[in-house]
Every structure is written in structure tokens, then in C-alpha cells.
């Protein structure tokens, strides 16, 4: 669509007779046709017209003037007076597509070139760049224009038929068109010595109601078409209102108020003033005086030839003279205050329109350049965000995607130094597993179950130093029930068969060991399941990142299934290995780390004996504890403590390796010593086995599941996708087929970019 600027009067000869004109400023032209205006300003109008040719008005708000009005509001007569041509006439709605008039002053003879401007295809889809199609040869006789326009409109309304058939054939006026209205438009390029440098677009008249010759669908289509123009901030609205109809009943006025409520860009035109019922003329004067429905650019009143005048062959010069005579000699128009005379007559309206459009173009062009640059960059960025379009080698493209995915999968498996990545998520679960295994340790108590004072017993300090879980032991206390020394002794006695007195079978230790090992399978299975789920989530996200935007999603879906199946197999292998490792532990106690086991047994035996003897002989226990706390410091009497003396004495006879804890062994034999030995054996072996399992189970899961998923994954994908088959090309083409939504978005953005870049080149060509 083109800028809507209105043309200069068809004849300058009677402009001096129009009230409100300024003879001192009459230089042979008005508005943009004024020779005193800079050639640069006139070139800007041509530039805006060329921008309209590109169709970029869909994306950018271009300056234009739109002529709107209700049916029979006098739009056609007004346009005829401005352009000097005759438009098709018919009852009801005649204009069914926009008609653009580009008027330019020229020293050459009068000429009219008719073109069809298509901004949508036959299906109504927006074209990338507007298509301009000439409609016949240039016209040099004004009388031929009306028929050419009529034929052009029928070509617009029948998009599936050839344009030439409407240009050359006999138009069947009774044949129903394919579409009632169209956004594609007719462009008239009119030039001549009596034509002003202006342009405008005439829009279909708004249909008042179904009873006025329309249907609900047509009413809505016309209103939508008009709205698409007048809703833009740079559109000057030329509102035509027929004086023969009540003002409030004219829908065009109400629609204009909706989109220009303050009247800043609306110019009102009263038509058919000669049809005002006698005595009601005064009702329209408040509009001319801008007292009613005020507009920033005021209301104007024009009188055009009647249908009877046209039938009688009135000339345009005669029509202009009659209009001037009407306002000069007819009341109340001739009596209106001189300051409002400038709002009467077509010549004054055109002069005002010319200046408004001129100023608007001057103001908007620098902004249009910025908006175009911004819109071009935005369109390019939006295209970059879309997936790559299908390539000519889909097999290579799919292969590249698979290799890229496998590379990123390897990085994920090896570990990415960032929070919430796979290994960072797995590590807390591994720590929980270790604590759960640690908490299955048998809670041996070196006291009879009936003893009341056990408050001094606690886990040995050497465990916290070695396990590094002091806080964890407090936060997650063992859930195992205490096992008292008398219970251990009862089990040992019950297990005796042919052993000598004081000897008990090893099966007692094995039974305790079996009990805590039987509790390890569940935490190990839970850890495996957790790692499987975490791995599945991260791999699924990785698949989405690599494949979700490729094709219609079939490749992503297929890869997800293949990888999940492969992962499930690896999880089953991992679970089998876990079960095997646990079963190895359950087969019986075993370790080659004899020194480690013996050291722990000695520590636990000393811990249990010390606690038990502390209960049996509190004085000795207290002395040993004080010695361990204060060392060889002197007591309050200045004498060395008893423990210190004993240790010195034992050292003097050669027992130099004895420490304070060993003094408890000098006490009389405890009948529970066999039970203490069993407890120490079991607890020492737990430390050996627990640390072994706490490492081996997570290691097995990492090896078989986490790292295992990366093994042969490329082979699995190639085989599962059929890329090694003879149908690989067909399969990859199907995978690469772009989704309709993405293809549609790409087409839309490409068309928009094409329009914007073409418009941008037009601006650069003229150096604006």
C-alpha cells in the first residue's frame, strides 16, 4: 500500500476565487506541488511510495493518508475531485479493495499507469515482498480510467484467474467474485501539468448493517481492513461524513474515535452539503468551527458534482467553479466568519493535506531508518534461533549430530566442574550409602543387660579419627539395637559342641557377621536406582539439547528410546554386579589385611575391657583416665600418681611397652573374656568389610552404569537408527524433515527479512 496523500486541485485557475486562500503565497501549486518546496522534500514522498511498494508497511508504520467513510458518504466524488479521474460507480458497495492514487506534477501530457499490488498470495498468505504487476498499457485519456479500474478490481477479487483475462476479455459484472474484499490493491500513478505531488489510498466504505447490502462476514471484513490502516500511528485519517445523514449514525466516525480518540491525526470532511434538509444547515456549522467533535486539523466541507451533473458531462473546471459559487452564495456557508472560510472548498482541503503529509514524512523518515535497522536485526536473530534448515546431505547431518551427542555424553560421564551436574548429584547419594552401611555396625555393649549404669560408654575415639564422621555419627545415630555381653556369651555357650572348656566355635563370630552383612543389599540397590534415575535425567536433557529442534522430533524420540534401553541394560548389569559383590561378602569372613584386622581387634578389645573394668573397678578406671588426661604431672601432695609409678616400675623390669590402658589387663580374669574376644573380632572385621563395601559398590555402579553407558553407545545408535542399512538415506531424510511449525516460522521470518532488507536498500539508495 502506498502513502495516502491527496492531490492538488484539478485546476489552479479558480483557486484564487476560493475564500480563505492566500494570493501572496500562491506560487502555482499547493503542498508538495509548491515549487518553493525543496526537491529533497519531494524526493522523500517518492521514497515513501517506494517503501510502500516493498510491502514493508506490514512491519513498519509508514506515513500515509487513508480516506474512509460509510457507504455513500461521498468518498468517490471527493477522490475524483482531487485526482481528476472518474471512479466506478454502483449501488451499495463499489470499492472492494484499496485503491491507491499517486499524483505527481509533470510537464509531460496527462498520463495514468495502472498496476496491481499483491501483498498476499491467492491463499491469503503474506508475500515476502509485494508483487507489482502492470495492468495494461499507460492511459492518456481520462475517460478510459473508470473501465480499467473496474477490470483491475475484478482481477484482484478473483486471485486464481489470470490477470490478462480481465484486462482483455469482456467483464461479466454479474459473476460472483471469489472473494468479497481483498487487502491487495490497485495503484494508479497519475502525472500531468495540473497534478500535485501527492498520493492517497481509498478504502472500501464501511457497511452500516446487513439491511444496507452486506452480510455479517462482509461487515467484519471491511471494518478489519479499514482498521488495519487507521490503527497505525502514522496514518492520517481523512474521515468523510455525508451531511444528508445524521452525524451520530455514521459508523466511520465512531471507528475513528476508537483509534484516534484525541483527534490528533484525523481530518474531517463534510460532503454533500447541498443535501442538508432546509433549516438544518446550522447544525453542521459547529463542526466547521471545531466546536463539536474538535479535531487538531479541523473539519472541512466540500461540494462535489452530483450524479446528474456527471451525466450532463460537467467538466472538472465547471465543477470547481460550481463548488466555489455554492460556498460563496449559499447560506449559511457564505455568511460564516472569514477565519473559517479556509475550511471550505476542495482546494483548501488538499493544501492542508499536502502540508500535513509533508511534515509527517519529514518527521518519520529518520525514525523509519532506525526502526528498519532494528527490525532487520531482530528478524536475523530470530532466524538464527531456529534450527538449521534441512541440509542436502541428511546422512552426514544426522551422523554429525550423533557424534556431537556422544562427545558431550563423554564429558558428562567424566565430570563437568559445575554444580548440579551428574557427578555432583551422585556424590551425596554415595555419602548416604556409606553412612547407611556404617550404621549397620553391631552395637556391642561390654555390660550385662541388667546393669543400670552405662552412661559412660560411647563409641571409641579412634573411629572418628579414621572414619571422619564425628558429626555424621551424631546426626545419624545407629538404628541397630544394643547387643550386651551376656547375650554374646549366651550365644557362645549355646554354640559349643566338642570344644574344650573356655573355647567357643568361630561360628559365633560368623553369625554376628552374617547379621550385619544381610542389611547391605537394600542400601546398595537404592544407590544403584538413584544413580540410574539421575543419569537418565541428565542424558534426557542432553538428548533434548542436541536433537529436540531437529526435524519434527522423530530423531530425538528414537535416540531417547535407544539410549534408555541401553541404560536399562547397563543398570541391570550393574545390579547383577552389586548382588555378586554382596553375595561374596555373605559367603563368609575374608581378608588378607591381617595387620589391619589385628590392629582393630586390639583397639576394640582395649576399648571394651576399659569400659567394663571401669564399671567393675571405678578407682582404677579413674586413675587411668586422669593419667591419660594429665600425663605424669604431680598430684596435689607432690607425689607421682599411682599409674605413673606402676608404669615406671614395669619399665624398670623390662616391660617398657606397657601403657595406661594395659593396666586393666592386670586385673583378675573376667569370666566374660571370651565374649569380649568375640565382640572385638566381629567389630574389627566390620571395619574391614564395611570400608571395602563402601568403596566397591559405588565403584561397581560407576564402572558398569555411569561409565558403562558410554561404551559402544555410538554403535548402539547407528544400529538402532538403521544408519548402517541400505535405507540410511531415506531414514535420515525422514528424520531431517522440518516440522510444519518451524518451517512456517522460517518462511514468515524470511519473508519479513526480505521486505525489510529491500526497504532498507531503498533508504540507502537515496542517502536518507
Amino acid at each position: 500500500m502506498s502513502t495516502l496523500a491527496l492531490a492538488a486541485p484539478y485546476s489552479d485557475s479558480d483557486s484564487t476565487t476560493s475564500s480563505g486562500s492566500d494570493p501572496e503565497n500562491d506560487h502555482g501549486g499547493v503542498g508538495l506541488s509548491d515549487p518553493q518546496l525543496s526537491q529533497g522534500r519531494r524526493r522523500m514522498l517518492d521514497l515513501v511510495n517506494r517503501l510502500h511498494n516493498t510491502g514493508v508497511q506490514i512491519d513498519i508504520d509508514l506515513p500515509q493518508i487513508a480516506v474512509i467513510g460509510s457507504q455513500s458518504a461521498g468518498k468517490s466524488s471527493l477522490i475524483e475531485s482531487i485526482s481528476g479521474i472518474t471512479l466506478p460507480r454502483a449501488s451499495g458497495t463499489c470499492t472492494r479493495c484499496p485503491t491507491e492514487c499517486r499524483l505527481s506534477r509533470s510537464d509531460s501530457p496527462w498520463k495514468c499507469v495502472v498496476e496491481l499490488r499483491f501483498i498476499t498470495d491467492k491463499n491469503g498468505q503474506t508475500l515476502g515482498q509485494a508483487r507489482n504487476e502492470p495492468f495494461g498499457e499507460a492511459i492518456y485519456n481520462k475517460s478510459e480510467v473508470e473501465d480499467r479500474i473496474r477490470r483491475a478490481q475484478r482481477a484482484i477479487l478473483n486471485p486464481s484467474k489470470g490477470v490478462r483475462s480481465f484486462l482483455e476479455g469482456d467483464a461479466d459484472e454479474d459473476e460472483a467474485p471469489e472473494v468479497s474484499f481483498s487487502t491487495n490493491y490497485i495503484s494508479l500513478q497519475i502525472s500531468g501539468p495540473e497534478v500535485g505531488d501527492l498520493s492517497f489510498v481509498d478504502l472500501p466504505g464501511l457497511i452500516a448493517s446487513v439491511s444496507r447490502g452486506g452480510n455479517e462476514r462482509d461487515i467484519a471484513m471491511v471494518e478489519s481492513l479499514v482498521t488495519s490502516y487507521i490503527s497505525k500511528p502514522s496514518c492520517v485519517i481523512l474521515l468523510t461524513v455525508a451531511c444528508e445523514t445524521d452525524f451520530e449514525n455514521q459508523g466511520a466516525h465512531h471507528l475513528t474515535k476508537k483509534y484516534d480518540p484525541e483527534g490528533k491525526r484525523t481530518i474531517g470532511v463534510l460532503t454533500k452539503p447541498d443535501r442538508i434538509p432546509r433549516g438544518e444547515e446550522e447544525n453542521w456549522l459547529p463542526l466547521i468551527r471545531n466546536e463539536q467533535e474538535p479535531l487538531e486539523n479541523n473539519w472541512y466541507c466540500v461540494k462535489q458534482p452530483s450524479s446528474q451533473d456527471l451525466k450532463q458531462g460537467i467538466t472538472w473546471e465547471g465543477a470547481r467553479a460550481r463548488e466555489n459559487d455554492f460556498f460563496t452564495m449559499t447560506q449559511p456557508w457564505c455568511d460564516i466568519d472569514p477565519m473559517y472560510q479556509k475550511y471550505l472548498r476542495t482546494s483548501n482541503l488538499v493544501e492542508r493535506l499536502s502540508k500535513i503529509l509533508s511534515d509527517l514524512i519529514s518527521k518519520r523518515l529518520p525514525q523509519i531508518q532506525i526502526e528498519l535497522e532494528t527490525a532487520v536485526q531482530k528478524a536475523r536473530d530470530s532466524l538464527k534461533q531456529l534450527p538449521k534448515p534441512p541440509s542436502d546431505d541428511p546422512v552426514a547431518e544426522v551422523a554429525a549430530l550423533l557424534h556431537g551427542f556422544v562427545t558431550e555424553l563423554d564429558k558428562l560421564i567424566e565430570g563437568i566442574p559445575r554444580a548440579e551436574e551428574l557427578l555432583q548429584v551422585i556424590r551425596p547419594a554415595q555419602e548416604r550409602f556409606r553412612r547407611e552401611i556404617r550404621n549397620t555396625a553391631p552395637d556391642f555393649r561390654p555390660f550385662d543387660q541388667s546393669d543400670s549404669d552405662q552412661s559412660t560408654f560411647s563409641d571409641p575415639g579412634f573411629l572418628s579419627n579414621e572414619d571422619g564422621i564425628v558429626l555424621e555419627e551424631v546426626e545419624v545415630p545407629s538404628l541397630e539395637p544394643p547387643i550386651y555381653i551376656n547375650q554374646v556369651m549366651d550365644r557362645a555357650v549355646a554354640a559349643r559342641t566338642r570344644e574344650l572348656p573356655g573355647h567357643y566355635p568361630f561360628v559365633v563370630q560368623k553369625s554376628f557377621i552374617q547379621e550385619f552383612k544381610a542389611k547391605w543389599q537394600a542400601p546398595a540397590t537404592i544407590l544403584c536406582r538413584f544413580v540410574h534415575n539421575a543419569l537418565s535425567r541428565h542424558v534426557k536433557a542432553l538428548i533434548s539439547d542436541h536433537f529436540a529442534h531437529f526435524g519434527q522430533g522423530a530423531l530425538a524420540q528414537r535416540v531417547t528410546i535407544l539410549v534408555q534401553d541401553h541404560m536399562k541394560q547397563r543398570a541391570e548389569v550393574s545390579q547383577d554386579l552389586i548382588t555378586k559383590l554382596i553375595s561374596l561378602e555373605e559367603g563368609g569372613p575374608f581378608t588378607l589385611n591381617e595387620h589391619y584386622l589385628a590392629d582393630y581387634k586390639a583397639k576394640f578389645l582395649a576399648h571394651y575391657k576399659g569400659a567394663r573394668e571401669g564399671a567393675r573397678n571405678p578407682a582404677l578406671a579413674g586413675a587411668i583416665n586422669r593419667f591419660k588426661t594429665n600425663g605424669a604431672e604431680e598430684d596435689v601432695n607432690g607425689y607421682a600418681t599411682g599409674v605413673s609409678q606402676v608404669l615406671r616400675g614395669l619399665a624398670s623390669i623390662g616391660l617398657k611397652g606397657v601403657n595406661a590402658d594395659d593396666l586393666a589387663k592386670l586385673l583378675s580374669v573376667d569370666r566374660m573374656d571370651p565374649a569380649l574376644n568375640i565382640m572385638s573380632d566381629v567389630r574389627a572385621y566390620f571395619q574391614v568389610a564395611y570400608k571395602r563395601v563402601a568403596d566397591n559398590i559405588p565403584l561397581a555402579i560407576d564402572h558398569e552404569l555411569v561409565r558403562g553407558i558410554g561404551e559402544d553407545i555410538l554403535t548402539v545408535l547407528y544400529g538402532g537408527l538403521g544408519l548402517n542399512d541400505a535405507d540410511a538415506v531415506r531414514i535420515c531424510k525422514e528424520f531431517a524433515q522440518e516440522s510444519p511449525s518451524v518451517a512456517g516460522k522460517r518462511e514468515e521470518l524470511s519473508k519479513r527479512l526480505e521486505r525489510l532488507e529491500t526497504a532498507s536498500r531503498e533508504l540507502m539508495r537515496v542517502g536518507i
Side-chain angles (χ1 to χ4, degrees), residues 3 12 125 179 212 321 368 421 437 543 646 682 695 727 759 768:
T3 29
D12 293 322
Q125 300 296 316
V179 295
R212 296 294 298 274
I368 289 173
E421 291 294 341
I437 298 298
I543 292 173
V646 171
V682 173
D695 282 340
D727 289 340
I768 296 297

Side-chain angles (χ1 to χ4, degrees), residues 171-359:
D172 184 358
E173 298 292 340
D174 296 328
E175 182 182 356
E178 295 176 8
V179 295
S180 299
F181 295 90
S182 176
T183 55
N184 295 324
Y185 60 94
I186 303 167
S187 177
L188 307 176
Q189 301 176 41
I190 302 172
S191 62
E194 295 181 349
V195 179
D197 294 293
L198 301 168
S199 58
F200 64 90
V201 61
D202 176 31
L203 299 177
L206 291 164
I207 306 172
S209 64
V210 174
S211 62
R212 296 294 298 274
N215 56 53
E216 294 292 344
R217 184 171 180 271
D218 287 349
I219 292 173
M221 286 182 63
V222 173
E223 183 171 330
S224 176
L225 176 60
V226 173
T227 298
S228 68
Y229 281 79
I230 68 174
S231 60
K232 296 179 179 180
S234 293
C235 177
V236 176
I237 305 169
L238 187 62
L239 171 64
T240 57
V241 174
C243 295
E244 64 179 345
T245 305
D246 185 68
F247 179 80
E248 292 298 329
N249 293 332
Q250 302 196 41
H253 165 64
H254 298 292
L255 191 62
T256 301
K257 289 279 288 185
K258 180 178 179 181
Y259 293 99
D260 184 27
E262 297 180 0
K264 291 183 177 297
R265 53 189 180 90
T266 300
I267 299 175
V269 182
L270 302 180
T271 64
K272 305 181 182 180
D274 53 326
R275 297 189 185 182
I276 301 175
R278 187 178 301 276
E280 296 182 7
E281 293 88 350
E282 292 289 341
N283 296 338
W284 297 92
L285 295 184
L287 290 171
I288 297 298
R289 292 193 291 264
N290 222 24
E291 297 170 349
Q292 178 184 344
E293 299 293 336
L295 301 174
E296 187 169 298
N297 291 295
N298 227 89
W299 288 84
Y300 286 76
C301 186
V302 298
K303 181 190 176 302
Q304 310 304 342
S306 65
S307 299
Q308 187 64 30
D309 292 335
L310 295 176
K311 289 180 181 179
Q312 294 176 357
I314 188 173
T315 64
W316 296 110
E317 291 78 7
R320 289 285 301 276
R322 288 193 182 186
E323 179 188 36
N324 186 65
D325 291 342
F326 175 81
F327 287 113
T328 303
M329 298 182 292
T330 306
Q331 292 183 338
W333 309 104
C334 61
D335 297 331
I336 197 170
D337 191 290
M339 67 178 295
Y340 298 116
Q341 287 290 328
K342 62 183 178 181
Y343 300 124
L344 307 178
R345 300 173 181 80
T346 303
S347 58
N348 292 330
L349 170 63
V350 172
E351 183 176 5
R352 182 59 180 158
L353 287 173
S354 300
K355 185 172 189 313
I356 290 173
L357 184 62
S358 172
D359 293 343

Side-chain angles (χ1 to χ4, degrees), residues 80-124:
E80 289 173 345
S81 294
I82 294 172
S83 63
I85 61 172
T86 301
L87 299 177
R89 303 280 179 142
S91 60
T93 301
C94 183
T95 304
R96 292 184 173 270
C97 67
T99 302
E100 175 191 73
C101 290
R102 295 184 181 179
L103 310 170
S104 59
R105 191 170 207 164
S106 170
D107 294 333
S108 301
W110 185 94
K111 180 177 69 172
C112 177
V113 175
V114 182
E115 290 185 345
L116 306 184
R117 298 289 165 81
F118 296 95
I119 60 175
T120 62
D121 60 18
K122 63 181 180 180
N123 298 317

Side-chain angles (χ1 to χ4, degrees), residues 552-619:
Q552 299 186 46
L555 179 61
Q557 183 180 16
R558 187 62 184 153
V559 169
T560 299
I561 294 173
L562 292 172
V563 173
Q564 292 290 354
D565 287 345
H566 181 59
M567 195 184 313
K568 183 180 178 181
Q569 295 174 9
R570 298 312 308 170
E572 291 173 352
V573 172
S574 178
Q575 185 60 55
D576 290 343
L577 180 55
I578 289 172
T579 301
K580 190 170 185 178
L581 290 174
I582 297 297
S583 66
L584 287 175
E585 294 293 338
E586 293 175 348
F590 176 83
T591 183
L592 294 178
N593 197 347
E594 297 179 7
H595 173 76
Y596 189 64
L597 179 65
D599 182 62
Y600 261 116
K601 178 177 180 180
K603 290 179 178 179
F604 275 109
L605 183 59
H607 176 66
Y608 291 143
K609 273 185 172 289
R612 184 167 176 79
E613 294 304 330
R616 293 174 60 199
N617 192 335

Side-chain angles (χ1 to χ4, degrees), residues 645-690:
Q645 289 177 339
V646 171
L647 292 177
R648 289 176 185 175
L650 291 174
S652 67
I653 62 174
L655 298 177
K656 296 183 179 181
V658 179
N659 56 42
D661 289 329
D662 294 330
L663 296 182
K665 300 176 183 179
L666 300 178
L667 300 174
S668 60
V669 177
D670 188 347
R671 66 182 182 84
M672 291 293 184
D673 278 351
L676 290 174
N677 275 292
I678 293 172
M679 293 162 57
S680 301
D681 278 339
V682 173
R683 194 62 181 80
Y685 184 74
F686 175 85
Q687 288 301 118
V688 174
Y690 133 73

